[in-house]
Amino acid sequence: MNAETATAEQAAPAIIRSGVRKTSFTIDPISPMIGAEVGRIDLTMPLDDDQYAALRAALLEHKLLVFRDQDITPRQHVDFAHRFGDLEIHPVFPHHPEHPELVLLGGDHTTAARENVYHTDVSWRARPSMGSVLRCVECPTVGGDTLWVNMAAAYARLPQTVRESIDGLVGVHDLLPAFGTRMTDDERTARRAAYPPVMHPVVRTHPETQERILYVNEAFTTHLANFVEKNDVRVGFDFRLAEMDILQYLFRQAAIPEYQVRLKWRPNTIAFWDNRATQHYAIQDYFPARRRMMRATIIGEVPV
């Protein structure tokens, strides 16, 4: 083992083990790095305190929880997500007509969906998401899988020199580059006033596990606010091109397969993930088949 590998392993996030053992459901890891399937649980029933505590601990440990065969109503979907925190109303996606906390995702046979980019949900908010709860309503027979990425592992396994170079950098996150094409000029003006760009640390600290997490994504992070303060600049291209180079390098970390898990959806499959510590990518390989989803998003904390 060389010095760099040893340093990366020492920086690897600690595993968070649940101390709650009064629940009857099972938790089976899906991959070594991220994800677990939860069995013997019925989400049509409200969570009791022990179930809630055990699921929250499992979420912190595995970062993605998968529940199969959960034929829940939209009201039950909202109630389950709300158990973990207040829910947001998304300003762009269409909403369920009776439950505005649920966004409706997916294209149809004429329009392909466009979630196929590595991202963290609503990182353009001053208080981005703590987690998301996504249910498959209608899935293609083949295709339409989703990837999730452990971004704590992505940070921990960066070369030491890179970790040192990005320490203290701040990323700018913006709603409009990803969603602006869905809007009219007047809508873009209104959304810019309501949701100006926000700044978050490139490396954030998880508020519950204290893990260090690489927190930039190619959907919403547009540039670095303080690159020049942290790096030597001789002439203009040292500033702009070097900034873009390091940001592109950090974006590419999400695409490393060793940090990922891939989920094949079935109707009434639910995925619940920790948005603070993950990115995800919805694979668009199924058009013109349909994939319809509903998502509730739990409001999180200001990243530090």
Side-chain angles (χ1 to χ4, degrees), residues 51-66:
Q51 289 174 320
Y52 163 77
L55 284 180
R56 192 171 190 113
L59 180 70
L60 296 179
E61 179 175 347
H62 299 286
K63 298 177 173 57
L64 165 70
L65 301 180
V66 177

Side-chain angles (χ1 to χ4, degrees), residues 168-200:
L169 288 180
V170 174
V172 178
H173 298 245
D174 194 347
L175 165 79
L176 282 185
F179 289 111
T181 57
R182 304 167 187 247
M183 304 174 191
T184 66
D185 288 343
D186 288 344
E187 288 172 335
R188 279 192 285 270
T189 299
R191 292 299 193 280
R192 169 54 73 234
Y195 301 100
V198 298
M199 294 186 290
H200 298 311

Side-chain angles (χ1 to χ4, degrees), residues 146-259:
T146 300
L147 302 170
W148 278 270
V149 192
N150 182 338
M151 297 308 295
Y155 171 74
R157 289 159 177 76
L158 285 172
Q160 176 67 23
T161 53
V162 175
R163 292 203 302 272
E164 292 172 354
S165 71
I166 64 176
D167 184 44
L169 288 180
V170 174
V172 178
H173 298 245
D174 194 347
L175 165 79
L176 282 185
F179 289 111
T181 57
R182 304 167 187 247
M183 304 174 191
T184 66
D185 288 343
D186 288 344
E187 288 172 335
R188 279 192 285 270
T189 299
R191 292 299 193 280
R192 169 54 73 234
Y195 301 100
V198 298
M199 294 186 290
H200 298 311
V202 167
V203 182
R204 69 176 293 182
T205 300
H206 195 288
E208 297 183 73
T209 68
Q210 304 307 306
E211 293 171 297
R212 300 279 281 163
I213 298 157
L214 183 58
Y215 198 69
V216 295
N217 69 88
E218 61 184 349
F220 302 125
T221 310
T222 57
H223 62 285
L224 301 173
N226 60 338
F227 180 80
V228 174
E229 297 172 18
K230 301 291 182 178
N231 293 271
D232 294 331
V233 175
R234 302 166 302 151
V235 292
F237 64 75
D238 274 351
F239 165 36
R240 182 54 61 196
L241 294 185
E243 177 188 357
M244 289 191 293
D245 283 347
I246 187 60
L247 200 51
Q248 289 296 324
Y249 175 80
L250 297 177
F251 289 160
R252 289 196 296 272
Q253 303 309 303
I256 295 175
E258 284 79 1
Y259 306 153

Side-chain angles (χ1 to χ4, degrees), residues 93-141:
F93 285 135
H95 305 146
H96 187 280
E98 298 176 6
H99 302 284
E101 305 94 336
L102 290 179
V103 298
L104 308 178
L105 302 173
D108 55 32
H109 67 282
T110 62
T111 305
R114 290 185 296 173
E115 298 94 353
N116 54 334
V117 58
Y118 287 106
H119 66 286
T120 299
D121 289 333
V122 299
S123 70
W124 42 265
R125 289 190 183 274
R127 291 178 59 193
S129 166
M130 168 269 182
S132 294
V133 181
L134 181 67
R135 181 173 76 93
C136 179
V137 178
E138 179 183 354
C139 309
T141 303

